[in-house]
Amino acid sequence: MVTALALGGLLTLTGCGGDNGGGGGKQARPSGSASKSGSGFQPPPPKGPDRTGPAPSAVPAVRDWKAVRGPGWERTRYTRVVTDTASLAGEAKLLASELKVKTAQGPARTGDIELKRGGKGGGESYSLTSRAGTVTITGAGDAGVFYGTRTLLQTYRAQHRFAEGTVHDKPDRAQRGFSLDIARKPFSADWIEARIREMGDLKLNQFQLHLSDDQAVRVESETHPEVVSDPHLTKAQVRRIVKLAASRHITVIPEVDSPGHLGAVIKAHPDLQLRSASGATPRGAVDIGNPRAAKIVDDLLKEYGDLFPGTYTHLGGDEYQALMAQDPEATYPGLAKRARERYGKDARVQDLTTAWLNDRAKTVRGQGKTPQLWNDGMHRGGVVKPSRHRQVNYWTGKEAGVRPPEEYLKEGWKVVNLNDEYLYYVLGQPNDFAYPTGQRIYERWTPAVVRGTKPVPSRYAGPQHILGGRFAVWGDIAGAQTQGQVAQGIRLPLAATAQKLWDPRKPKESWSGFVSLVNRVD
């Protein structure tokens, strides 16, 4: 989550006008090194005694390619996308529409592309074999087949053929995503859908939506319509977004942030506002001792949990102002009293906050979901311990009471990397934030670099500990960029993030070569 010192507007939903390229189509390309120079590049047909063609052109790059002799595959007027697997009908139809060919049932013939299920290596792994003029994509799961179609499509865009040989490919990290603050900066449904299509081509599989904040709640609610602001996404728009994401094997993760960042709820229910001993009202902080606050948040979590049927719900948990006071117990004696009454004489405000998040986690687990929380909602020590199972989204090492990522990893928590040093695109660049560059991510960041610029110890760096990462856009100063400028500004950083989550090893391609590749495959 991003710091609450500078705030702006939010997501454009129903009837939101496109501002300077904010619609669902392709966005204007960056100037300079990211221009479309070289976009007409087409390797010549293989020549010479070996007659092996070029490696696939894909972002992220394939992990294993074995070229063999032969002319390779080319699309012809007779090419079809063939599958006899019912669950792959959507993948076949999508690829056929992109290549402007027909779909068919098997058997495959020369010139066809065949989609199949089979093999090992996890549901996102796949093999792609180009042999004798036919391409066969085999995935351990439907997602793997889809990723194989992305490799084929991107290579076709760049080369207009696919060389003879075999690809074996799979991601290094299970969670590979993009996070968007729609509570402060308006983004149209068309803009969101365009990003989902972009994510699909990059083999990203998670899309986190920050639905609520101090400024607004931006998704239609039937349980609490009084907290929803205009403009907002209708449930019909959300269902269309979720359906499009599912067609690209992307899970949409809703975030209802609490117990801080609830200003929009407090506006509709001022009696829930937390007050200090001096009468101060910290922005966005609800009185967590008031059961009505918990009921409203739980109502929203349940309602949105049904609307977003994926595996995860994000509970927020960051920047609760009561815990940012120098002496929380003296500043908020009412909370301190409730903590002692409920959890014993040694309990503090921190324990009451941990219990609040435990209760919200129990709510979403009741829907069969895994809760995720920001790292500054997971506190050191205390009488009340964070409940399992949950996942820690580590974003910062700058907040009060900060804990290094190694502490969470030593305690056995699974971590998702949203390192604000590399992966935070904060509109207006407040509070020492700078717009991240794709080159810096590509050359310096890996999933093991969770905080700052140094990786965690190697024993904690693997995918069993750090599950993956997300690139995040935050709308702190909402008017600092238009939707079109955001789309342009994140294009290369998002591609670089996808590359390093798929394969954290040092890339073989130089940065300038990677930029050229991104331009050719788009």
Side-chain angles (χ1 to χ4, degrees):
M1 185 48 201
V2 77
T3 182
L5 297 179
L7 304 170
L10 189 131
L11 134 147
T12 332
L13 298 61
T14 315
C16 178
D19 56 346
N20 194 23
K26 294 288 185 182
Q27 306 297 332
R29 295 292 177 249
S31 58
S33 64
S35 70
K36 198 76 174 180
S37 61
S39 62
F41 172 80
Q42 179 177 341
K47 296 180 179 179
D50 291 331
R51 291 181 60 81
T52 57
S57 299
V59 178
V62 301
R63 301 187 65 159
D64 183 72
W65 162 247
K66 297 280 191 307
V68 298
R69 296 176 61 183
W73 170 89
E74 292 187 73
R75 174 192 173 278
T76 74
R77 60 184 294 190
Y78 303 108
T79 293
R80 307 172 303 165
V81 180
V82 173
T83 187
D84 290 326
T85 304
S87 65
L88 297 176
E91 285 74 14
K93 183 178 179 181
L94 176 62
L95 181 61
S97 69
E98 292 165 327
L99 294 175
K100 296 180 172 57
V101 300
K102 296 180 179 180
T103 60
Q105 292 185 321
R109 64 195 185 199
T110 302
D112 284 347
I113 303 158
E114 184 176 17
L115 309 184
K116 300 169 58 177
R117 285 284 300 273
K120 301 178 181 179
E124 293 189 308
S125 65
Y126 71 93
S127 63
L128 185 156
T129 300
S130 173
R131 191 81 81 242
T134 300
V135 169
T136 302
I137 299 172
T138 306
D142 291 356
V145 175
F146 173 73
Y147 297 146
T149 69
R150 300 306 89 191
T151 296
L152 174 64
L153 178 66
Q154 290 183 333
T155 302
Y156 174 76
R157 287 171 176 168
Q159 302 180 19
H160 300 289
R161 60 173 56 85
F162 204 102
E164 202 96 348
T166 299
V167 170
H168 292 290
D169 205 11
K170 64 178 180 179
D172 184 75
R173 304 290 157 147
Q175 297 192 36
R176 309 177 306 282
F178 173 48
S179 179
L180 179 66
D181 173 9
I182 64 174
R184 289 182 258 194
K185 167 71 177 175
F187 292 96
S188 70
D190 285 347
W191 191 96
I192 291 172
E193 290 175 4
R195 301 290 74 72
I196 289 171
R197 294 185 183 95
E198 184 178 353
M199 291 172 62
D201 283 356
L202 293 172
K203 302 183 177 76
L204 297 173
N205 66 358
Q206 290 183 339
F207 184 27
Q208 179 180 339
L209 284 177
H210 182 74
L211 304 180
S212 62
D213 213 296
D214 294 334
Q215 293 73 15
V217 175
R218 297 294 184 174
V219 170
E220 176 187 354
S221 170
E222 295 167 12
T223 60
H224 291 284
E226 75 280 2
V227 307
V228 179
S229 304
D230 286 324
H232 64 265
L233 285 174
T234 67
K235 287 191 173 182
Q237 288 173 313
V238 169
R239 291 187 184 102
R240 190 175 70 228
I241 287 167
V242 169
K243 182 178 180 181
L244 177 66
S247 74
R248 269 69 176 174
H249 297 274
I250 296 169
T251 298
V252 185
I253 302 173
E255 180 191 352
V256 178
D257 200 350
S258 81
H261 295 281
L262 284 173
V265 171
I266 293 170
K267 183 178 179 180
H269 298 276
D271 58 306
L272 301 182
Q273 172 69 61
L274 177 66
R275 298 180 183 276
S276 71
S278 65
T281 54
R283 185 177 188 181
V286 295
D287 180 354
I288 58 177
N290 188 331
R292 289 188 63 246
K295 183 180 185 306
I296 290 175
V297 173
D298 279 349
D299 288 345
L300 293 173
L301 287 170
K302 292 175 184 176
E303 182 178 10
Y304 293 151
D306 290 338
L307 187 61
F308 296 88
T311 305
Y312 302 99
T313 292
H314 203 294
L315 303 178
D318 64 301
E319 296 180 324
Y320 184 49
Q321 294 295 316
L323 296 179
M324 300 173 79
Q326 185 172 4
D327 186 343
E329 285 67 43
T331 307
Y332 301 98
L335 294 184
K337 180 181 178 182
R338 291 188 189 96
R340 291 191 297 271
E341 289 173 348
R342 295 181 187 180
Y343 305 110
K345 62 183 180 61
D346 295 326
R348 299 175 294 161
V349 174
Q350 168 188 309
D351 298 296
L352 198 66
T353 308
T354 298
W356 165 282
L357 291 169
N358 285 351
D359 289 342
R360 307 293 76 77
K362 182 179 180 180
T363 296
V364 302
R365 286 195 202 99
Q367 293 183 298
K369 298 177 184 290
T370 298
Q372 295 188 337
L373 296 91
W374 299 113
N375 65 286
D376 51 329
M378 297 272 287
H379 312 292
R380 180 187 289 116
V383 174
V384 180
K385 305 298 182 184
S387 59
R388 304 204 182 237
H389 293 279
R390 64 176 71 178
Q391 295 174 359
V392 179
N393 286 190
Y394 199 102
W395 72 279
T396 188
K398 303 171 185 174
E399 292 295 318
V402 65
R403 301 172 64 194
E406 289 86 347
E407 281 196 23
Y408 301 98
L409 294 164
K410 286 178 183 176
E411 292 171 9
W413 299 105
K414 305 298 184 183
V415 170
V416 180
N417 187 335
L418 286 95
N419 185 343
D420 64 351
E421 176 72 24
Y422 291 93
L423 305 178
Y424 261 36
Y425 194 97
V426 184
L427 297 188
Q429 305 182 105
N431 306 315
D432 298 323
F433 281 105
Y435 291 129
T437 68
Q439 182 171 4
R440 193 160 180 257
I441 296 168
Y442 188 77
E443 294 179 345
R444 302 183 187 180
W445 179 79
T446 74
V449 182
V450 181
R451 172 185 176 182
T453 60
K454 295 182 179 179
V456 299
S458 58
R459 64 183 178 277
Y460 299 126
Q464 71 275 28
H465 301 293
I466 300 171
L467 303 177
R470 295 182 202 132
F471 185 85
V473 170
W474 295 102
D476 283 40
I477 303 176
Q481 289 190 343
T482 66
Q483 293 181 76
Q485 288 171 328
V486 174
Q488 176 176 305
I490 68 174
R491 178 172 173 262
L492 290 174
L494 194 61
T497 303
Q499 173 61 48
K500 300 303 284 290
L501 288 169
W502 191 267
D503 188 350
R505 297 174 297 182
K506 182 178 179 180
K508 297 178 181 178
E509 190 71 74
S510 67
W511 170 246
S512 61
F514 182 76
V515 172
S516 177
L517 176 62
V518 171
N519 289 330
R520 294 199 308 273
V521 303
D522 194 357

